[in-house]
Amino acid sequence: QVQLVESGGGLVQPGESLRLSCAASGFTFDNYAIAWFRQAPGKEREGFSCITARDGRTVYADSVKGRFTISRDNPKNTAYLQINSLKPADPAVYYCAAASDVRYCHLISMVYAYWGQGTQVTVSS
């Protein structure tokens, strides 16, 4: 019954913003780190941000640092990704994922057991 459901994707213009949500169920949310990944056509899946289970420490890849903000609301079993100043390189399917780790988070897909279905982000003028 484990589920991660992303929402909030869509078509936006360069420079605009989106807020993605990741609703979790079927597991103890605050025992899991949450990460966001993205995959563009023909490219590898890229982990670009994560947040620890309880103390909210965050990690960002250089490609998104300063533009993207990851957050979580544990009582609501939901994580978020605020995407600002979208660039032409940002279009991709965006996935959230969960890893059973109460202390750390990582930007590598290997440690994430649970994955959402993805939400499409398209950038076009």
Side-chain angles (χ1 to χ4, degrees):
Q1 332 291 26
V2 170
Q3 280 195 308
L4 292 169
V5 180
E6 302 97 334
S7 61
L11 175 64
V12 298
Q13 296 181 3
E16 294 185 341
S17 299
L18 282 176
R19 183 176 172 87
L20 307 183
S21 297
C22 174
S25 60
F27 62 99
T28 304
F29 187 66
D30 66 352
N31 285 346
Y32 283 74
I34 298 294
W36 286 94
F37 293 78
R38 63 185 181 181
Q39 188 165 26
K43 296 189 176 182
E44 294 183 348
R45 186 171 53 194
E46 173 196 18
F48 59 85
S49 188
C50 65
I51 184 167
T52 57
R54 298 178 181 178
D55 61 10
R57 290 177 288 116
T58 58
V59 176
Y60 297 96
D62 289 342
S63 60
V64 306
K65 193 174 299 181
R67 297 191 299 118
F68 290 17
T69 303
I70 190 171
S71 61
R72 64 191 295 163
D73 188 339
N74 284 348
K76 295 183 178 179
N77 285 6
T78 302
Y80 304 95
L81 181 71
Q82 178 68 39
I83 306 174
N84 293 333
S85 301
L86 277 152
K87 297 180 177 180
D90 292 329
V93 178
Y94 283 70
Y95 300 90
C96 65
S100 182
D101 192 329
V102 299
R103 293 187 63 186
Y104 306 110
C105 75
H106 309 273
L107 297 181
I108 52 174
S109 61
M110 184 177 181
V111 304
Y112 291 90
Y114 303 147
W115 292 81
Q117 82 290 346
T119 186
Q120 178 75 52
V121 174
T122 303
V123 180
S124 177
S125 62

